[in-house]
Amino acid sequence: TLPRNPDESDDAYLARVLADSREQAAAAAAEGTRIHDACECHWQGRHYPHHYQPHVDAVCEELERLFPGVDDWVSERSFASPEGFGGKVDLHSPSTGITVDYKGKDGDFSDGKKLAYDQHYQLAAYNRGLELPLAPCANIFVSRTHPGKVASHVWKEKDVAEGWQVFASALEVWKRLRKFDPSFTTEQEAA
C-alpha cells in the first residue's frame, strides 16, 4: 500500500513504512474509540454522531440475539476489587452476571479468522470485580471499516471460571513481584 520511490534508500523507505504504519494504527485505534464511545452513549441515553448508528444498531441486535430478553444493561461501570485489581466494564447485566467487552476490528469478518482466544481472562476478572454471579460472557467485535458488521464470541460459564483461574494466577505473580498487598492501607503505612 506504500510504493517505494525509485531513488529511495532502504533506510528512508523503512522509516517511511514505519511512520505510515504508526499513523494507520493510531487512526484505527481512534476510530475504535469513537465507535466504543457511541455504544456507551447509546446505553447511557446520550447523543452521539449519527454516522455511528449502524455500529450501535449492530451491537444491539447482536446482544439481543446472544442474550434474548436481557434488558438491564449497564454501561461503563468502574470497580476496584479488594483482591488488588480494577477495571471498567464496557457492558454488564446485574441480574444475569453477563459481562460484555467490545473490540474494534477492521474487515467484515467473512474470512473465518478466529477472533476470540484469551479474552475470557479479562471478562472473568470483570465478572469477579463487579461481584456478579458466574455467567456466560461475550466479546463483540465491531468492524471499524464496515459499519453495521459485527462478530461475537460467547464464553460459557466453565470458560469464565477457567479464565478467572488464569487471571488470578497472573495477578498473584504480579503482586508478589511488586510486593503489592491490597490490604495494606494508608493507616497501616502511617503506623
Side-chain angles (χ1 to χ4, degrees):
T1 61
L2 194 63
R4 186 173 185 162
N5 298 327
D7 60 343
E8 193 170 30
S9 71
D10 288 348
D11 288 343
Y13 181 58
L14 179 60
R16 200 163 55 86
V17 166
L18 290 173
D20 183 66
S21 172
R22 283 190 290 272
E23 288 174 20
Q24 287 186 35
E31 181 66 359
T33 297
R34 289 188 290 271
I35 293 167
H36 185 282
D37 291 348
C39 290
E40 175 184 345
C41 288
H42 166 79
W43 294 110
Q44 295 177 354
R46 297 184 289 130
H47 293 287
Y48 53 89
H50 180 71
H51 62 277
Y52 290 113
Q53 192 67 50
H55 300 86
V56 172
D57 288 348
V59 168
C60 292
E61 290 167 13
E62 189 70 357
L63 280 170
E64 183 59 30
R65 185 183 75 76
L66 297 174
F67 307 110
V70 175
D71 62 0
D72 64 337
W73 296 112
V74 176
S75 177
E76 298 300 321
R77 170 109 184 265
S78 297
F79 67 89
S81 170
E83 293 179 79
F85 67 98
K88 190 171 190 179
V89 181
D90 288 348
L91 201 62
H92 77 284
S93 163
S95 68
T96 65
I98 297 166
T99 56
V100 176
D101 189 61
Y102 313 124
K103 304 280 186 202
K105 291 278 196 187
D106 289 349
D108 66 0
F109 311 119
S110 63
D111 60 6
K113 182 179 175 187
K114 183 177 179 181
L115 299 170
Y117 46 94
D118 64 0
Q119 292 94 347
H120 59 306
Y121 310 154
Q122 175 187 20
L123 288 164
Y126 287 168
N127 181 271
R128 176 83 169 218
L130 290 177
E131 299 177 357
L132 297 170
L134 183 64
C137 297
N139 292 107
I140 296 182
F141 303 93
V142 184
S143 178
R144 294 183 291 242
T145 57
H146 293 74
K149 293 286 186 178
V150 298
S152 61
H153 182 83
V154 175
W155 300 94
K156 296 176 182 169
E157 287 181 22
K158 69 176 184 61
D159 298 321
V160 177
E162 176 190 304
W164 170 249
Q165 294 303 313
V166 173
F167 182 89
S169 297
L171 178 63
E172 184 61 29
V173 168
W174 182 87
K175 288 192 292 191
R176 288 181 184 273
L177 289 174
R178 301 278 193 245
K179 298 181 180 10
F180 176 73
D181 180 357
S183 64
F184 192 76
T185 66
T186 54
E187 293 161 9
Q188 291 169 320
E189 187 178 15

